[in-house]
Amino acid sequence: MTDYVALGNSGLKVSRFALGTLTAGNDPKFAQMAGLDADAYRRLFDIALDHGVNLVDTANMYSFGEAEEITAQALRGRRDDVVLTSKVRMPLGDGPNDGGASRHHILREVENSLRRLRTDHLDLLYTHQWDGVTPIEETLAALDTLVRDGKVRYLGTSNYSAWQLSKTVYTARALGLTAPVVQQMYYTPEAREIEYEILPAARDLGIGTFVWSPLGEGLLTGKVRRGQETPSSTRQGTDWPEPHVTDWGRAYDIIDALDGIARERGVSVPRVVLAWLLGRPGVTGIVLGARTEDQLRDNLAAADLELSQEERDTLTRVSQLPAYYPWWHRALNATDRPDPAEEPYLTEFRRYATGGGSGS
């Protein structure tokens, strides 16, 4: 059974695992990651709820609305049992106002999401990506309108840089508007970039962090191996362009370390990845994007896997990112007065990083 934690600095309690819905729907543009129909997704929904999951994560762009429709079918009769989230901002068409975080787009598309989800409110709404054109004041005012009208309960951001998150939160507070309480970010043992600035900013601001695609969009499932051809039946065995791996030697070293721990413990590689992420400072929870019942059950079992400190250190060491300014300068010159928001990451940095990507 999963634990329940506060969502950022709010009073809302959510499970540390969220059931993702990116795998639901059959739009051709999502063929490499989706494909589940309503019956298949409902079975995943049943398994997740049986394990105590109370957070369901969807987005209006997933299969261009079909995922929300399938989520509504799975939720029938159980809406009050879950914290339901969706997202807005991504383009849904070719028109000039079919994307973005303008008042026009946000209010229109949230109404469309509510209709597809067959509900009168969203418990949490994420802005899916930063909009560099719309003034943040306009975006926040539109989101605040939704909260005041009872159509949205809490706000979050997704894929924001640290300065964008900080600007959003402080602008909302200055104007007396509803501020976000959580962010959703990409974070894996191979992709730890958010530790430089984004996670410290969130911790300082009291913002929770949920991780999307914790298995690296298929990179860390155990099916990608050094010197072996990746099965074409997997996303990484196709021409899928993500994740953006800059050092494949380091990536394979991480995969080897994960595999070694998995073999020693008699568990799957994904379970080790998820257990490591659950123990990272600043991580509130993880969005699971399983496509099969067996995958979901295995993912959920990560909540019961306690990695030893030696195992955690092994993974942290092999995946430590290289030195970047001003990190290396603070690591060398600011140890007398460490900031609690970034101290755990700087401590690991001082311990493992020597300027090389592997941290060896």
Side-chain angles (χ1 to χ4, degrees), residues 1 43-53 78 297 300:
M1 302 295 286
R43 288 194 290 272
L44 297 184
F45 191 89
D46 291 341
I47 292 169
L49 260 65
D50 286 344
H51 280 76
V53 173
R78 298 182 288 189
R297 293 183 190 278
L300 291 167

Side-chain angles (χ1 to χ4, degrees), residues 302-321:
D304 300 319
L305 177 62
E306 290 287 341
L307 296 178
S308 68
Q309 190 59 52
E310 181 180 0
E311 291 168 332
R312 289 192 171 279
D313 289 346
T314 295
L315 294 176
T316 304
R317 182 183 303 109
V318 74
S319 64
Q320 183 63 57
L321 288 170

Side-chain angles (χ1 to χ4, degrees), residues 5-12 14-16 55 124-126 154-160 165 169 173 179-187 194 198-212 280-287 345:
V5 294
L7 189 68
N9 55 13
S10 79
L12 183 66
V14 296
S15 52
R16 297 205 68 194
L55 187 59
L124 170 63
L125 175 67
Y126 288 101
Y154 295 90
L155 301 177
T157 64
S158 184
N159 304 307
Y160 280 30
L165 176 66
V169 172
R173 292 175 180 175
V181 298
V182 65
Q183 64 174 348
Q184 198 174 112
M185 302 298 295
Y186 179 66
Y187 185 41
I194 67 172
I198 298 172
L199 274 175
R203 284 161 58 88
D204 182 69
L205 293 165
I207 303 296
T209 299
F210 262 81
V211 176
W212 64 262
R280 296 300 294 161
V283 171
T284 306
I286 299 171
V287 180
Y345 315 112

